[in-house]
Amino acid sequence: GAGVSQSPSNKVTEKGKDVELRCDPISGHTALYWYRQSLGQGLEFLIYFQGNSAPDKSGLPSDRFSAERTGGSVSTLTIQRTQQEDSAVYLCASSFHAETQYFGPGTRLLVL
Amino acid sequence: DQQVKQNSPSLSVQEGRISILNCDYTNSMFDYFLWYKKYPAEGPTFLISISSIKDKNEDGRFTVFLNKSAKHLSLHIVPSQPGDSAVYFCAASVARAGSYQLTFGKGTKLSVIP
């Protein structure tokens, strides 16, 4: 079956612009996660959605970052007023059995 | 403060030999551990996991060992194959807390030499 998909695969934007990144989880997966990987770093947790529960936003680095998950499926990560330090690979993962997360290919964001 | 550490940024192994990738953690609340493999320009691929109630889990050529007293886990790949060349990430979670967010190490780049 189809895996986790993300779009766009690459995004170049200017400092100060807003960007939206999209994630389509594996069908039937109830949990959805966003992570980012900056150059030379491990993956950093951003936000977690589980069913209809309130999301765990504890990893969001600033109030410029927000995410929503519509209808318990597709999720959008929005970064407002982008900064150069936001440049990273943004990865989405989904899971059914919550311990094992399956990742998408990521969106490579470059803020100039 | 890094809670999950992979102290070797790279490792080279001859084809057919054993690859041993190491990972240390500091948070004693972690109760679930995973290894992911990542090729360039792709997302991480789940390899194998282990719960803190076990000390070993095996899946084909891959075995993960957990030493809770030392807060150390390792991934053994036997025999190593050139296709195993990738970056390997160790990850941990506090599964019983219900959030399942993963804390990752910075990765170890494995090169298997034919």
Side-chain angles (χ1 to χ4, degrees):
Chain A
V4 177
S5 61
Q6 293 186 244
S7 61
S9 54
N10 294 280
K11 177 71 177 178
V12 181
T13 191
E14 294 179 348
K15 178 182 172 181
K17 300 278 181 145
D18 297 352
V19 294
E20 282 190 354
L21 313 178
R22 177 188 169 103
C23 172
D24 283 274
I26 293 172
S27 178
H29 280 192
T30 56
L32 186 147
Y33 310 76
W34 283 97
Y35 295 83
R36 73 175 176 183
Q37 184 179 16
S38 303
L39 191 63
Q41 301 297 314
L43 281 75
E44 172 192 12
F45 167 78
L46 296 178
I47 188 169
Y48 158 64
F49 297 89
Q50 173 62 58
N52 295 321
S53 303
D56 174 358
K57 303 180 182 180
S58 60
L60 294 179
S62 79
D63 59 8
R64 296 185 296 104
F65 288 73
S66 62
E68 63 178 22
R69 189 178 184 193
T70 54
S73 181
V74 172
S75 177
T76 303
L77 176 70
T78 301
I79 309 173
Q80 295 179 309
R81 304 180 303 280
T82 52
Q83 304 294 312
Q84 288 180 333
E85 61 263 28
D86 299 334
S87 296
V89 178
Y90 288 81
L91 290 151
C92 174
S94 70
S95 67
F96 180 68
H97 296 290
E99 293 90 347
T100 302
Q101 299 173 26
Y102 297 89
F103 284 81
T107 293
R108 284 147 194 82
L109 175 66
L110 177 62
V111 182
L112 299 176
Chain B
D1 179 34
Q2 265 195 289
Q3 297 187 61
V4 177
K5 299 179 184 179
Q6 294 176 256
N7 291 320
S8 298
S10 63
L11 174 68
S12 290
V13 173
Q14 284 292 130
E15 180 178 5
R17 308 293 286 267
I18 184 171
S19 295
I20 300 177
L21 296 103
N22 293 302
C23 178
D24 297 290
Y25 61 96
T26 58
N27 187 346
S28 57
M29 297 293 287
F30 287 143
D31 57 4
Y32 197 76
F33 304 89
L34 308 90
W35 284 94
Y36 284 84
K37 170 178 166 180
K38 187 179 184 301
Y39 293 117
E42 294 184 11
T45 302
F46 170 73
L47 267 180
I48 192 168
S49 61
I50 188 167
S51 165
S52 61
I53 63 174
K54 296 185 176 181
D55 54 19
K56 176 183 175 181
N57 188 26
E58 190 172 354
D59 183 1
R61 297 186 298 114
F62 302 92
T63 303
V64 55
F65 295 91
L66 175 62
N67 183 334
K68 289 187 292 293
S69 60
K71 294 191 178 69
H72 177 83
L73 66 155
S74 60
L75 174 68
H76 293 208
I77 307 173
V78 182
S80 302
Q81 299 173 355
D84 295 331
S85 297
V87 177
Y88 288 78
F89 289 97
C90 170
S93 70
V94 184
R96 62 176 176 272
S99 175
Y100 305 106
Q101 61 171 272
L102 295 175
T103 301
F104 284 84
K106 291 188 178 182
T108 296
K109 183 177 182 180
L110 173 66
S111 299
V112 180
I113 304 161

